[in-house]
Amino acid sequence: MQGFGVDIGGSGIKGCLVDLEIGQLIGERLRIETPQPSLPDPVYGVVAKIVESFGWSGRIGVTFPGVMKHGVAHTAANVDKSWIGTDVDAGLEQLIPGSVVTLNDADAAGIAEMRYGAGRDQGGVVLMLTFGTGIGSALFVDGHLVPNTEFGHIQVDGEDGERRASAAAREREDLDYPTWAHRVDRYLDVLEAGLWPDLIIVGGGVSKKAAKWVPLLTTRTPVVPAQLQNDAGIVGAALAAHERDN
């Protein structure tokens, strides 16, 4: 059983065939730099080129870095603001042979982790957080996604949580892992006060270094690193598209 996923990011757009039985990419993914400025039409063109290069003609799943409702972008993080209000599904379907299912990028990563990775067979409330330029979030209740959560923007000590606790903040301020982990701890304290999750999965590139900071956290909730790493968005998008009702 195969699917196809494309992950749109602020710096790169990547896509690949996905083996939906095991949640792994089939062959090498294709990555193309995101056009600058990252306007809709040039980005659509890149997505179409990636799909064409694999000869895929069925339904595809596409992640977008923003709130997605019924195929329409309502926010635009790290891409041009002209995306806001754009029907992304319709724009893409003009250029590719199959139909399109779009979803938030963190939601897609969470879907992949819940099916194939760190959240597999986990009931209760599971929170997936992706630490990158900002902090993406995906919330699941007994395996069901609560779409378009934006927990990176919750207020922590008077400012957006992601402003101080994202991976970009660590790099921007040249923080060592213990110092940054203290900030993540404070961010998670605020989240835990409102959500009481049963498991927190941490993803993004910094999850590869989980041993340097996850053990320093003092949360009451178990925190585990994501398992699918940078493939999670592609895999989750392909799965979401495959399982979307016709």
Side-chain angles (χ1 to χ4, degrees), residues 49-218:
K49 182 176 180 180
I50 291 172
V51 174
E52 182 182 13
S53 72
F54 285 88
W56 182 263
S57 59
R59 180 183 292 174
I60 69 167
V62 179
T63 79
F64 183 79
V67 169
M68 295 297 301
K69 295 176 74 69
H70 309 295
V72 175
H74 288 263
T75 66
N78 307 314
V79 290
D80 194 85
K81 299 307 178 189
S82 62
W83 283 93
I84 297 172
T86 299
D87 189 329
V88 183
D89 285 5
L92 285 170
E93 286 176 352
Q94 293 178 14
L95 297 178
I96 67 168
S99 59
V100 177
V101 172
T102 51
L103 68 163
N104 172 265
D105 53 356
D107 284 349
I111 287 170
E113 287 294 331
M114 292 299 290
R115 178 64 61 89
Y116 308 108
R120 189 172 184 175
D121 299 324
Q122 175 72 38
V125 178
V126 179
L127 178 63
M128 167 92 175
L129 298 169
T130 57
F131 291 84
T133 305
I135 300 176
S137 61
L139 183 67
F140 297 84
V141 180
D142 291 331
H144 297 284
L145 173 68
V146 180
N148 292 310
T149 56
E150 291 282 291
F151 292 131
H153 299 299
I154 63 166
Q155 291 293 294
V156 179
D157 300 327
E159 60 184 339
D160 274 11
E162 67 180 20
R163 178 69 187 163
R164 288 174 53 80
S166 67
R170 185 186 73 82
E171 295 170 2
R172 182 175 62 245
E173 300 181 42
D174 196 24
L175 304 175
D176 59 24
Y177 278 99
T179 303
W180 181 66
H182 180 73
R183 292 190 180 187
V184 174
D185 224 16
R186 174 64 186 137
Y187 168 69
L188 294 178
D189 281 346
V190 175
L191 272 177
E192 283 188 311
L195 283 178
W196 284 80
D198 298 293
L199 179 69
I200 297 173
I201 303 170
V202 292
V206 74
S207 64
K208 296 177 183 176
K209 306 278 189 176
K212 293 186 175 183
W213 60 279
V214 170
L216 303 177
L217 302 176
T218 63

Side-chain angles (χ1 to χ4, degrees), residues 20-45:
L20 295 173
E21 299 286 351
I22 58 176
Q24 291 183 5
L25 304 189
I26 301 171
E28 291 292 317
R29 71 185 187 185
L30 174 60
R31 182 186 187 278
I32 298 176
E33 294 289 312
T34 302
Q36 299 300 330
S38 51
L39 302 171
D41 284 346
V43 169
Y44 294 156

